[in-house]
Amino acid sequence: FSSEYGGKNQPIIAPSDMEIMEVGNSAVIGRNIRAHATINGVKYTYRFIHLSDTSVEKGQKVKKGEVLGKMGDTGSSSNGYHLHFDIWKGHTADLSSSSQRYVKSVDPLEMCYLAKDQIVGEDTDKKYNIMRAK
Protein backbone atom coordinates (compact mmCIF):
# COMPACT_ATOMS: atom_id res chain seq x y z
CA PHE A 1 0.00 0.00 0.00
CA SER A 2 1.08 3.54 -0.54
CA SER A 3 1.42 5.73 2.54
CA GLU A 4 -1.70 7.63 1.40
CA TYR A 5 -3.98 4.57 1.28
CA GLY A 6 -2.73 2.05 3.82
CA GLY A 7 0.05 0.73 5.99
CA LYS A 8 1.36 1.33 9.46
CA ASN A 9 -0.88 3.46 11.68
CA GLN A 10 -3.18 4.64 8.88
CA PRO A 11 -6.50 5.95 10.24
CA ILE A 12 -9.47 3.57 10.25
CA ILE A 13 -12.61 5.50 9.31
CA ALA A 14 -16.21 4.66 10.27
CA PRO A 15 -18.03 3.36 7.15
CA SER A 16 -21.41 4.47 8.57
CA ASP A 17 -23.01 5.93 11.67
CA MET A 18 -22.64 3.38 14.47
CA GLU A 19 -22.63 2.76 18.20
CA ILE A 20 -19.49 1.31 19.79
CA MET A 21 -20.45 -1.84 21.69
CA GLU A 22 -17.00 -3.01 22.76
CA VAL A 23 -13.39 -1.84 22.69
CA GLY A 24 -11.02 -4.63 23.64
CA ASN A 25 -7.59 -6.16 23.47
CA SER A 26 -6.83 -9.87 23.27
CA ALA A 27 -3.88 -12.12 22.50
CA VAL A 28 -5.63 -13.44 19.36
CA ILE A 29 -7.32 -10.44 17.71
CA GLY A 30 -5.31 -7.67 19.35
CA ARG A 31 -6.85 -4.25 19.82
CA ASN A 32 -10.36 -4.39 18.43
CA ILE A 33 -13.69 -2.61 18.15
CA ARG A 34 -17.18 -4.12 17.84
CA ALA A 35 -19.95 -1.76 16.74
CA HIS A 36 -23.61 -1.87 15.75
CA ALA A 37 -25.03 0.02 12.78
CA THR A 38 -28.43 0.25 11.12
CA ILE A 39 -28.43 1.12 7.42
CA ASN A 40 -31.74 1.54 5.55
CA GLY A 41 -33.49 -0.40 8.30
CA VAL A 42 -31.03 -3.33 8.16
CA LYS A 43 -28.98 -4.07 11.31
CA TYR A 44 -25.26 -4.87 11.06
CA THR A 45 -22.42 -5.72 13.43
CA TYR A 46 -18.91 -4.51 12.53
CA ARG A 47 -15.63 -5.74 13.96
CA PHE A 48 -12.31 -3.97 13.37
CA ILE A 49 -9.31 -6.14 14.39
CA HIS A 50 -5.49 -5.85 14.84
CA LEU A 51 -5.59 -2.07 15.46
CA SER A 52 -2.49 -0.32 16.80
CA ASP A 53 -4.64 2.22 18.65
CA THR A 54 -8.31 3.01 19.27
CA SER A 55 -9.85 6.46 19.62
CA VAL A 56 -13.41 5.51 20.65
CA GLU A 57 -15.06 4.22 23.83
CA LYS A 58 -17.80 1.72 24.61
CA GLY A 59 -21.23 3.36 24.30
CA GLN A 60 -19.97 6.17 22.05
CA LYS A 61 -22.05 7.09 19.00
CA VAL A 62 -19.83 7.64 15.96
CA LYS A 63 -20.72 9.36 12.70
CA LYS A 64 -19.72 8.11 9.26
CA GLY A 65 -16.23 9.40 8.42
CA GLU A 66 -14.98 9.72 12.02
CA VAL A 67 -11.69 8.09 12.99
CA LEU A 68 -12.07 4.87 15.02
CA GLY A 69 -8.40 4.06 15.48
CA LYS A 70 -5.24 3.18 13.58
CA MET A 71 -4.25 0.21 11.42
CA GLY A 72 -1.94 -2.18 13.24
CA ASP A 73 -0.57 -5.66 13.66
CA THR A 74 -1.58 -6.47 17.25
CA GLY A 75 -2.63 -9.92 18.44
CA SER A 76 -1.87 -13.04 16.38
CA SER A 77 -1.25 -11.06 13.23
CA SER A 78 1.08 -12.77 10.79
CA ASN A 79 0.31 -10.51 7.82
CA GLY A 80 1.99 -7.32 9.00
CA TYR A 81 0.04 -4.09 9.28
CA HIS A 82 -3.51 -4.53 8.01
CA LEU A 83 -7.14 -4.17 8.99
CA HIS A 84 -9.20 -7.31 9.56
CA PHE A 85 -12.74 -5.98 9.04
CA ASP A 86 -15.79 -8.18 9.55
CA ILE A 87 -19.43 -7.32 8.85
CA TRP A 88 -22.40 -9.46 9.88
CA LYS A 89 -26.13 -8.98 9.36
CA GLY A 90 -27.90 -8.43 12.67
CA HIS A 91 -26.87 -6.87 15.96
CA THR A 92 -24.96 -9.53 17.84
CA ALA A 93 -22.68 -9.80 20.84
CA ASP A 94 -21.80 -13.47 20.46
CA LEU A 95 -19.26 -13.89 17.67
CA SER A 96 -17.79 -17.12 19.04
CA SER A 97 -19.74 -19.51 16.80
CA SER A 98 -17.92 -19.74 13.47
CA SER A 99 -21.00 -21.27 11.80
CA GLN A 100 -23.06 -18.21 12.75
CA ARG A 101 -20.31 -15.83 11.66
CA TYR A 102 -20.15 -17.22 8.14
CA VAL A 103 -23.93 -17.55 7.70
CA LYS A 104 -24.40 -13.87 8.55
CA SER A 105 -21.17 -12.60 6.99
CA VAL A 106 -21.30 -9.72 4.48
CA ASP A 107 -18.47 -8.97 2.03
CA PRO A 108 -17.06 -5.60 3.22
CA LEU A 109 -16.33 -4.61 -0.39
CA GLU A 110 -20.09 -4.53 -0.99
CA MET A 111 -20.52 -1.85 1.70
CA CYS A 112 -17.35 0.25 1.70
CA TYR A 113 -15.92 3.05 -0.36
CA LEU A 114 -12.44 2.20 -1.62
CA ALA A 115 -9.53 4.50 -2.34
CA LYS A 116 -9.51 6.14 -5.77
CA ASP A 117 -6.84 3.75 -7.11
CA GLN A 118 -8.71 0.61 -6.05
CA ILE A 119 -10.97 -1.31 -8.40
CA VAL A 120 -13.79 -3.49 -7.12
CA GLY A 121 -13.80 -7.04 -8.46
CA GLU A 122 -11.15 -9.42 -9.74
CA ASP A 123 -8.63 -6.62 -10.31
CA THR A 124 -8.87 -5.64 -6.63
CA ASP A 125 -8.07 -9.19 -5.53
CA LYS A 126 -5.11 -9.36 -7.91
CA LYS A 127 -3.74 -5.93 -7.01
CA TYR A 128 -4.17 -6.10 -3.21
CA ASN A 129 -4.36 -9.85 -2.51
CA ILE A 130 -7.52 -9.43 -0.44
CA MET A 131 -8.24 -12.44 1.77
CA ARG A 132 -11.82 -13.54 2.35
CA ALA A 133 -13.18 -16.13 4.78
CA LYS A 134 -14.19 -19.36 3.04
Side-chain angles (χ1 to χ4, degrees), residues 53-127:
D53 192 23
T54 57
S55 54
V56 294
E57 296 178 3
K58 181 178 179 176
Q60 182 177 343
K61 296 196 187 309
V62 176
K63 295 286 186 189
K64 178 180 179 177
E66 289 185 42
V67 175
L68 302 172
K70 294 180 181 179
M71 186 179 297
D73 66 350
T74 60
S76 294
S77 170
S78 60
N79 297 321
Y81 281 81
H82 70 286
L83 172 66
H84 179 140
F85 179 41
D86 292 321
I87 303 175
W88 297 279
K89 281 192 176 179
H91 286 174
T92 182
D94 181 10
L95 304 173
S96 60
S97 167
S98 62
S99 63
Q100 284 301 305
R101 282 190 301 218
Y102 297 124
V103 167
K104 296 180 177 184
S105 183
V106 175
D107 185 342
L109 291 178
E110 293 178 6
M111 298 188 62
C112 296
Y113 292 97
L114 302 177
K116 67 180 180 180
D117 294 334
Q118 293 174 317
I119 301 168
V120 176
E122 291 180 8
D123 290 343
T124 302
D125 287 342
K126 290 175 186 171
K127 185 172 181 179

Side-chain angles (χ1 to χ4, degrees), residues 17-72:
D17 293 355
M18 64 183 74
E19 182 176 357
I20 306 302
M21 305 309 293
E22 181 180 6
V23 178
N25 194 3
S26 84
V28 176
I29 63 175
R31 287 192 177 134
N32 64 90
I33 298 169
R34 182 175 54 85
H36 287 170
T38 302
I39 302 169
N40 299 323
V42 179
K43 295 178 179 182
Y44 295 96
T45 298
Y46 299 146
R47 191 166 64 167
F48 306 84
I49 299 174
H50 302 305
L51 304 173
S52 65
D53 192 23
T54 57
S55 54
V56 294
E57 296 178 3
K58 181 178 179 176
Q60 182 177 343
K61 296 196 187 309
V62 176
K63 295 286 186 189
K64 178 180 179 177
E66 289 185 42
V67 175
L68 302 172
K70 294 180 181 179
M71 186 179 297

